[in-house]
Amino acid sequence: MRLEEYIKNRLADGRIGEDVGGIISQLADAAMVISKTIRLSGIEYDLGAETGAENSDGDEQKTLDVLAEDIIINHLKHTAASHILSEEQDDPITTGQDGQVMVAIDPLDGSSNIAVNVSVGTIFSLMPRQDAPIACAGRDQLAAGFFVYGPQTTLILAVASDQAPQCFILDDRKNSFVAVGGAVSIPTKTEEYAINAAYAEHWFPPVQEWMRQVLAGKQGAYGKAYRMRWVGSMVADAWRIFQRGGVFLYPGDKREGYTDGRLRLVYEANPISFLIEKAGGMATNGKDAILDLTPESLHQRTPLFFGATQEMTRLNTLHHNK
Ligand code: P6P
């Protein structure tokens, strides 16, 4: 099944409106352009180059961050999206369209990896339009997904009425995303975790205790040996978890500005958590489900733990008992 058919089926049975269908279709077209652009990186232009500017969160903006956002915004102009909430913009963009859907985007997650040929991606969240365009709670999203630009260009997507996410791979020959595999489901248990262990000295006690038991292997409280992966692009770690299970942790820590971690609620944690819960996993800030958090500002950060329910439950217990 091609993505076009996935959208057409949901339009036909009324599970999505024309606004949502049109936005998903245009995001897929934008992703195809971004994918092609990345492959020319270092030939046509130095995409990893810094623009000298910073985004609202103080991250150095790479050429591709800005280019990817431009490509996406230009495609969304052909849709009814009323507002665009972007990591690269201080404030929401009001498009003037009368549609009832807002789009939150991280145009290029992991952009520092471009210069070293490591997978990066685009994360998106579709939300009901609301007057003050600060986003809705994640549980009210209309659809969410992300693209990964790696050895393959892939997409994982779910709309609100889907029971599980669906994965797609871009078939360059047909200029179309083709569905692969069935309903995505994350195993409740895992031996594989993703965390940047370089920050261990800065972690708060609950995460330090969880890691202590994990690193204790069979002699630890969790009684098994684990293995670690850390790509430095959340979309790449997340894609792996949707394919073979695991957990991802970006906790808050004692570093200045990192009390709530690094990842942003509206356009990173919410869309990923929407997919995770639909795949039978859990996504939490250590205490509450991410999807139940009410955004107070566009770029607010949140500690983010997601994946296998057994490990998420352990982390929640450690945080509640601290
Ligand atoms: P660190 C990329 O900048 C990102 O937002 C996520 O994609 C990634 O998981 C994380 O930051 C990497 O953070 O602190 O390990 O560089």
Side-chain angles (χ1 to χ4, degrees):
M1 171 177 64
R2 291 188 180 191
L3 177 60
E4 294 83 348
E5 191 180 341
Y6 168 98
I7 294 172
K8 188 177 165 191
N9 292 345
R10 283 158 181 75
L11 284 170
D13 60 22
R15 289 169 54 204
I16 60 172
E18 295 288 342
D19 290 5
V20 168
I23 289 167
I24 292 171
S25 176
Q26 287 295 329
L27 286 171
D29 289 352
M32 284 187 248
V33 175
I34 295 170
S35 177
K36 290 189 176 83
T37 304
I38 289 173
R39 273 151 185 61
L40 293 174
S41 171
I43 301 169
E44 290 290 317
Y45 20 65
D46 177 5
L47 285 171
E50 292 180 0
T51 62
E54 289 184 347
N55 66 16
S56 56
D57 222 38
D59 295 332
E60 287 289 353
Q61 280 187 318
K62 303 291 188 300
T63 306
L64 190 61
D65 285 321
V66 177
L67 194 52
E69 185 192 54
D70 288 348
I71 292 167
I72 293 167
I73 290 173
N74 287 334
H75 278 78
L76 289 179
K77 280 177 182 163
H78 303 291
T79 74
S82 63
H83 296 82
I84 301 171
L85 289 66
S86 170
E87 177 183 29
E88 305 307 326
Q89 299 291 328
D90 290 348
D91 301 305
I93 298 168
T94 302
T95 65
Q97 297 289 348
D98 61 2
Q100 294 309 306
V101 179
M102 305 198 305
V103 182
I105 51 168
D106 178 357
L108 207 84
D109 174 62
S111 55
S112 59
N113 281 321
I114 282 280
V116 293
N117 195 26
V118 170
S119 300
V120 294
T122 296
I123 309 171
F124 60 89
S125 164
L126 276 61
M127 299 166 285
R129 178 176 186 168
Q130 50 191 40
D131 292 339
I134 294 299
C136 63
R139 207 165 291 288
D140 297 333
Q141 292 174 93
L142 301 171
F146 62 87
F147 300 94
V148 181
Y149 312 110
Q152 295 175 305
T153 292
T154 57
L155 163 65
I156 182 168
L157 166 67
V159 301
S161 58
D162 284 336
Q163 297 305 308
Q166 175 64 54
C167 291
F168 299 82
I169 296 178
L170 175 60
D171 184 338
D172 283 314
R173 300 163 302 175
K174 300 171 184 167
N175 255 351
S176 181
F177 283 91
V178 179
V180 288
V184 178
S185 175
I186 295 173
T188 56
K189 299 180 179 179
T190 187
E191 293 76 37
E192 190 163 74
Y193 66 95
I195 193 169
N196 187 332
Y199 309 136
E201 66 177 304
H202 305 296
W203 293 335
F204 297 117
V207 173
Q208 289 188 334
E209 176 58 20
W210 182 83
M211 277 296 282
R212 204 180 347 269
Q213 298 307 332
V214 164
L215 293 174
K218 291 194 170 81
Q219 283 65 48
Y222 305 156
K224 59 184 175 183
Y226 288 74
R227 59 185 178 274
M228 189 184 114
R229 296 286 185 278
W230 186 252
V231 180
S233 286
M234 177 172 63
V235 290
D237 284 314
W239 180 265
R240 184 190 60 253
I241 290 168
F242 283 111
Q243 306 311 308
R244 69 185 193 204
V247 288
F248 175 97
L249 297 82
Y250 206 113
D253 65 43
K254 297 168 191 161
R255 288 176 292 163
E256 187 180 347
Y258 278 77
T259 307
D260 285 325
R262 176 184 175 82
L263 298 165
R264 286 73 159 189
L265 174 60
V266 171
Y267 41 78
E268 291 174 323
N270 270 345
I272 298 286
S273 302
F274 181 84
L275 298 166
I276 287 285
E277 285 204 3
K278 288 210 177 278
M282 279 173 67
T284 163
N285 62 1
K287 292 193 178 80
D288 304 305
I290 292 290
L291 295 183
D292 292 334
L293 303 178
T294 301
E296 289 164 12
S297 66
L298 176 53
H299 301 291
Q300 77 181 67
R301 298 184 182 201
T302 177
L304 179 58
F305 310 100
F306 62 78
T309 51
Q310 182 180 55
E311 302 301 339
M312 293 297 108
T313 303
R314 286 169 172 162
L315 281 159
N316 278 355
T317 302
L318 286 165
H319 281 86
H320 283 295
N321 294 345
K322 73 175 183 181

